Amino acid sequence: MQIIHHGAVNGVTGSCHKLDINAHSSVLIDCGLFQGAETAGKTAIDQLPIEFDISYIQALIVTHCHIDHVGRIPYLLAAGFNKPIYATVATAALLPMVIEDALKIGVTQNHRMIKLYLKKLTQLIRPIEYNQWFALELGSVSTNDSSVDANSSANAIHQTASTLIDKRYTQAKAKFRAAGHILGSAYVEIELFNDATTLKKAKHRANHRVVFSGDLGATHTPLLASPKSPYRADTLVIESTYGDKNHQGRKQRSESLRKVIEKSVADNGVVLIPAFSIGRTQELLYELEQVIHRYQNRSEIWRQIEVIVDSPMAAKFTERYLEFKTLWDKEAKQRLSQHRHPLDFEQLYTVGSHQEHLATIKYLSKRNKPAIVIAASGMCTGGRIQNYLAKLLSNPTTDIIFVGYQAQGSTGREIQTYGPKGGYCAIDGKRVNIKAGVHTVSGYSAHADQRNLVNFVKGMRVKPTLIRIVHGDTEAKSALAKEYKKLLPAAIVEIGK
């Protein structure tokens, strides 16, 4: 058995990990798109193709449907992949919408081709409930087989897969556990066995258990319950987006958001909040409804401010959040019982068509009344937020609030870095001077922080002997590795390559 990474090792995007179970069988965990600095100097043709052999891949397991975890699925299908795609029930419902959007933006506008892709995708998706073991069908292999998958060996040399474990495994099963990152998100437990009888009989112990974290959510976030640690992991592949930082607490971040917005709109300006269509947008709406509910009788600002969501995708995903209310946490369900609507309140406006989008920008640039605009993409690398930035970023009455991670090389990171210095950024190849106020409220990340990531391992009853750290910048991975080495001195802690 070996683990080979085809993304999310030089940064936080392109998550794609191949678990070679034996010489004839592999499973793929995620197949994501590269973004930010990881695309520098590369054309779409260079970034997207599936360059590894898929002939032995028996299944794709999807942890959640953010584009950096699923964006290369169309290219996987184009390469001939015809095996099951396992996902939680909520992720299975969201995935076709995400892939349709990815196809339209990055692949083709041909409706017939898009329809064929989506039909194939739908045929392969296998929705699985949380906490339910499901068997992974593997290719046949003899326990005495000493053959080596030549492609895996080549990749091992090329990408340095240092984990090599007895490859006699002939059976495997997997289970999704709630990750608390976005709706439907999961981490994955995979148990490997030497023979079929072991698979049927084993309850608490297996020959080897591998856990892939996907993206873990921060604790005490609204809407979704916090992730719980697995009972056991022998090998752990874990993200490290915030491996070197700790977030603000829930109360502090909500108060920070309120104060920044009140200060920002004192001049009747517009507040821009870049946010991913799924997860961050719904979380922000939830928190803004809470602030409006609490302060509308104390402040004129919160009685008149408009909250504009300019993203058809976000609107669709919000509908899905409402559809899957059973996955909400206790606090969110309690608000519903009080006849409050945290994702559909009175001062919320949704922009649909492109014509409405352009009209909204024109309207906001001329009016003298405060507004909050939430638009994708979260890192300002594309989407409707770029049109707002191009028009409003040079206006001193505009403010931009970052509530999530900005990857190196992204437009968001440029604004975050150079905006406070009176600098500029490039949007659609054009220079835009930054005169807007630039703010960061760190506690709104949908990712676990260092404390959460360490506690995830602490909470395991049977702790890993090998931890592989991925999905993070160099500093974050190194800092997290130090914490794990302090926690588990006897374990092997390594950074994925």
Side-chain angles (χ1 to χ4, degrees):
M1 186 275 281
Q2 64 180 350
I3 299 168
I4 300 170
H5 307 291
H6 296 287
V9 288
N10 296 318
V12 299
T13 67
S15 285
C16 186
H17 313 288
K18 186 158 69 81
L19 173 64
D20 289 335
I21 297 172
N22 58 47
H24 302 277
S25 299
S26 304
V27 293
L28 205 61
I29 295 85
D30 291 335
C31 194
L33 199 66
F34 291 102
Q35 296 172 304
E38 294 172 79
T39 66
K42 298 179 181 179
T43 64
I45 295 175
D46 296 327
Q47 300 166 35
L48 297 171
I50 303 301
E51 296 180 336
F52 49 90
D53 184 11
I54 67 169
S55 60
Y56 293 127
I57 297 176
Q58 306 298 327
L60 167 63
I61 299 175
V62 175
T63 63
H64 65 287
C65 59
H66 270 153
I67 201 71
D68 61 325
H69 288 255
V70 300
R72 277 188 283 169
I73 288 179
Y75 293 85
L76 188 67
L77 299 179
F81 183 77
N82 194 36
K83 298 291 184 178
I85 298 175
Y86 295 105
T88 66
V89 175
T91 296
L94 295 169
L95 189 57
M97 291 192 293
V98 175
I99 296 302
E100 180 179 7
D101 192 57
L103 286 167
K104 289 178 179 177
I105 293 174
V107 181
T108 180
Q109 291 289 325
N110 186 304
H111 294 293
R112 182 175 177 274
M113 185 175 292
I114 291 171
K115 188 176 180 180
L116 289 172
Y117 266 111
L118 295 178
K119 181 180 179 181
K120 184 64 177 178
L121 176 68
T122 304
Q123 290 172 347
L124 298 180
I125 291 176
R126 304 288 187 271
I128 304 290
E129 297 285 353
Y130 283 115
N131 305 315
Q132 175 181 305
W133 287 108
F134 57 96
L136 296 171
E137 298 296 328
L138 306 183
S140 60
V141 57
S142 167
T143 56
N144 297 319
D145 192 343
S146 60
S147 64
V148 175
D149 178 349
N151 184 71
S152 291
S153 296
N155 278 327
I157 294 169
H158 179 64
Q159 297 189 254
T160 318
S162 61
T163 310
L164 297 171
I165 298 172
D166 190 327
K167 60 178 183 176
R168 292 176 297 148
Y169 300 119
T170 58
Q171 297 288 324
K173 64 178 182 178
K175 177 169 62 176
F176 289 117
R177 299 283 303 277
H181 178 60
I182 63 169
L183 185 69
S185 62
Y187 67 86
V188 185
E189 298 182 51
I190 301 177
E191 291 193 357
L192 308 177
F193 303 88
N194 278 328
D195 55 58
T197 56
T198 307
L199 175 61
K200 293 176 182 177
K201 293 179 180 179
K203 292 183 179 179
H204 302 295
R205 297 291 294 176
N207 287 321
H208 199 82
R209 184 179 294 185
V210 186
V211 174
F212 290 87
S213 73
D215 285 350
L216 295 174
T219 54
H220 308 301
T221 56
L223 288 175
L224 299 177
S226 301
K228 296 180 180 179
S229 303
Y231 174 83
R232 172 186 176 212
D234 297 307
T235 295
L236 171 65
V237 178
I238 192 163
E239 66 123 325
S240 59
T241 311
Y242 283 96
D244 58 344
K245 295 180 178 66
N246 286 311
H247 301 320
Q248 286 179 305
R250 170 87 181 276
K251 290 182 180 179
Q252 290 89 343
R253 74 178 193 182
S254 182
E255 187 66 7
S256 295
L257 182 69
R258 180 186 69 83
K259 288 180 177 178
V260 168
I261 290 176
E262 287 182 352
K263 183 179 179 181
S264 299
V265 300
D267 55 6
N268 286 327
V270 177
V271 175
L272 302 178
I273 307 181
F276 292 110
S277 297
I278 178 168
R280 196 68 48 76
T281 293
Q282 291 75 28
E283 188 174 342
L284 283 166
L285 292 179
Y286 184 94
E287 292 281 80
L288 288 170
E289 188 273 344
Q290 172 73 358
V291 173
I292 291 170
H293 179 78
R294 183 177 297 169
Y295 287 95
Q296 60 185 346
N297 293 326
R298 307 185 204 177
S299 169
E300 180 69 22
I301 287 173
W302 295 106
R303 282 196 295 274
Q304 67 173 343
I305 198 166
E306 294 174 336
V307 179
I308 301 168
V309 175
D310 190 346
S311 169
M313 285 288 287
K316 291 179 183 178
F317 288 135
T318 301
E319 289 175 7
R320 292 294 188 177
Y321 265 77
L322 293 167
E323 179 183 339
F324 287 97
K325 291 192 292 286
T326 55
L327 298 179
W328 291 15
D329 69 1
K330 292 180 181 179
E331 179 192 309
K333 290 176 181 176
Q334 187 176 17
R335 288 197 191 179
L336 291 175
S337 69
Q338 296 169 348
H339 304 291
R340 289 169 58 185
H341 302 281
L343 300 182
D344 187 20
F345 47 94
E346 186 177 350
Q347 290 163 248
L348 175 64
Y349 302 88
T350 301
V351 176
S353 70
H354 185 66
Q355 289 74 19
E356 288 180 288
H357 162 67
L358 295 177
T360 300
I361 295 175
K362 185 177 180 180
Y363 165 67
L364 290 175
S365 65
K366 293 182 178 180
R367 75 177 208 158
N368 188 35
K369 184 181 176 183
I372 299 168
V373 177
I374 303 172
S377 73
M379 296 184 193
C380 306
T381 52
R384 292 186 174 183
I385 191 64
Q386 288 209 328
N387 292 331
Y388 284 98
L389 295 172
K391 184 69 175 179
L392 301 174
L393 203 55
S394 57
N395 188 331
T397 66
T398 300
D399 289 83
I400 180 168
I401 302 177
F402 292 106
V403 293
Y405 185 83
Q406 303 300 308
Q408 290 184 13
S410 66
T411 305
R413 178 68 74 92
E414 287 186 6
I415 297 170
Q416 211 173 32
T417 303
Y418 302 112
K421 303 174 184 177
Y424 66 91
C425 66
I427 297 176
D428 203 19
K430 297 179 181 178
R431 172 173 170 159
V432 178
N433 293 321
I434 306 169
K435 296 182 180 179
V438 179
H439 317 270
T440 299
V441 181
S442 64
Y444 278 92
S445 174
H447 285 271
D449 62 12
Q450 185 187 82
R451 187 184 301 109
N452 298 148
L453 294 169
V454 171
N455 287 340
F456 185 72
V457 175
K458 276 185 179 179
M460 298 177 187
R461 292 288 296 276
V462 181
K463 293 179 171 57
T465 56
L466 170 69
I467 299 177
R468 179 80 63 81
I469 300 174
V470 296
H471 199 286
D473 290 333
T474 302
E475 297 81 4
K477 288 185 287 192
S478 298
L480 186 60
K482 289 179 182 178
E483 293 300 314
Y484 283 145
K485 286 174 182 175
K486 285 192 290 185
L487 177 66
L488 300 173
I492 298 171
V493 179
E494 58 188 26
I495 293 173
K497 298 179 181 179

